Amino acid sequence: AQKVTQAQTEISVVEKEDVTLDCVYETRDTTYYLFWYKQPPSGELVFLIRRNSFDEQNEISGRYSWNFQKSTSSFNFTITASQVVDSAVYFCALSEAAGGSYIPTFGRGTSLIVHP
Amino acid sequence: EPEVTQTPSHQVTQMGQEVILRCVPISNHLYFYWYRQILGQKVEFLVSFYNNEISEKSEIFDDQFSVERPDGSNFTLKIRSTKLEDSAMYFCASSETPQGTGYEQYFGPGTRLTVT
């Protein structure tokens, strides 16, 4: 069974601070995908990144970066120089390839509040 | 950029009533999904649909739920007799394929269902 843990329920930072959102996952599958989604106050889900289990390269996209470490089953997300517009709930998700399902399991989300 | 659309954005209904939530997936996508998010909680998978039939469903998706693709563009979720606990945000998503590089699921903006 797959499981995603986002231990941080809420994080509060001041603008321009760096912040890291943690995601730890459990899976028995060797082939899987990891995702991050952003849910702003307006409620929609915005796709941020997908990573497959065979690609452990860290990724940077502007102020966003992701650190995938299979050894610790973690896929952490860092926002550099945070801005007020980054305030949202961020969800980490995992989907396994077993049985061809690929249906993602979401973590409970981390609410990020960036104060001006 | 193509996007998934959902109507209505907010639906209020009385307990026991039937509701139909509508979605228009991205036109060249073949796989369709419904998810549910109870307020303040994580996103939960309900059902996936391909080739005019359900390909996978969760325990949440019981007999009171049904999905349909009535024409070439719409994808609907029907709740036959709503209960208070059905109050949630319902997200529709679509993808080109369930796996590989086409796997990214594009989410709609959601329909907030309130059952009174």
Side-chain angles (χ1 to χ4, degrees), chain B residues 7-8 11 13 17-23 34 66-68 70 74-80 82 111 113:
Chain B
T7 55
Q11 173 94 44
T13 189
Q17 295 296 305
E18 175 183 286
V19 294
I20 297 177
L21 310 183
R22 301 180 193 281
C23 169
W34 282 103
S66 62
V67 290
E68 194 177 33
N74 289 284
F75 178 51
T76 62
L77 173 69
K78 181 192 291 186
I79 309 175
R80 277 183 249 288
T82 51
T111 292
L113 176 65

Side-chain angles (χ1 to χ4, degrees), chain B residues 3-47:
Chain B
E3 57 182 20
V4 176
T5 60
Q6 290 184 243
T7 55
S9 55
H10 190 191
Q11 173 94 44
V12 181
T13 189
Q14 289 189 329
M15 197 166 52
Q17 295 296 305
E18 175 183 286
V19 294
I20 297 177
L21 310 183
R22 301 180 193 281
C23 169
V24 178
I26 294 174
S27 60
N28 65 330
H29 286 186
L30 302 176
Y31 295 82
F32 315 115
Y33 313 83
W34 282 103
Y35 292 83
R36 179 182 82 175
Q37 183 185 28
I38 295 171
L39 185 64
Q41 299 189 24
K42 65 179 179 180
V43 178
E44 299 172 294
F45 167 73
L46 291 178
V47 65

